[in-house]
């Protein structure tokens, strides 16, 4: 499991914290207004969780997506043959 994090004295840390709060608000608003919400990425597993752990301090992305029942689809895993 990936547990890297930026130090609080990182130059953009507070901006990233604010951005993390906005990401949470957007995901909650999307789930409240739509029956089906998901994240689709061209990245490889587990990019969504690794990048959010690193660049969205204070946001438990895995916990939030589980709570809201928002799946993540990694497009390379769903290629047509």
């Amino acid at each position: 499991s990936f547990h890297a994090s930026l130090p609080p004295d990182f130059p953009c840390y507070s901006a990233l914290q604010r951005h993390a709060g906005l990401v949470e608000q957007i995901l909650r608003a999307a789930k409240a207004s739509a029956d089906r919400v998901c994240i689709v990425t061209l990245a490889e597993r587990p990019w969504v969780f690794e990048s959010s752990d690193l660049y969205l301090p204070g946001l438990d992305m895995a916990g939030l997506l589980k709570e809201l029942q928002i799946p993540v689809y990694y497009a390379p895993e769903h290629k047509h043959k």
Side-chain angles (χ1 to χ4, degrees), residues 3-5 9 12-13 15 17-18 20-21 30 41 45 47 53-55 57-58 60 63 65 70 72-73 79:
H3 292 290
S5 61
D9 62 349
C12 299
Y13 191 86
Q17 275 187 312
R18 288 190 304 274
T41 179
R45 186 179 300 269
W47 178 83
D53 284 350
L54 183 58
Y55 295 113
D60 174 10
L65 295 182
I70 296 176
V72 177
Y73 295 105
K79 293 179 187 173

Side-chain angles (χ1 to χ4, degrees), residues 20 22 33 35 37 42 44 52 55 62-63 67 69-70 73 76 78:
L22 292 173
S33 64
D35 289 335
V37 177
L42 284 171
E44 299 289 330
S52 63
Y55 295 113
E67 172 193 335
Q69 298 181 329
I70 296 176
Y73 295 105
H78 299 275

Side-chain angles (χ1 to χ4, degrees), residues 5-41:
S5 61
L6 296 173
D9 62 349
F10 184 77
C12 299
Y13 191 86
S14 62
L16 291 171
Q17 275 187 312
R18 288 190 304 274
H19 185 70
L22 292 173
V23 168
E24 180 174 358
Q25 288 176 19
I26 289 167
L27 290 172
R28 289 187 182 282
K31 190 62 179 184
S33 64
D35 289 335
R36 296 173 68 186
V37 177
C38 68
I39 295 174
V40 178
T41 179

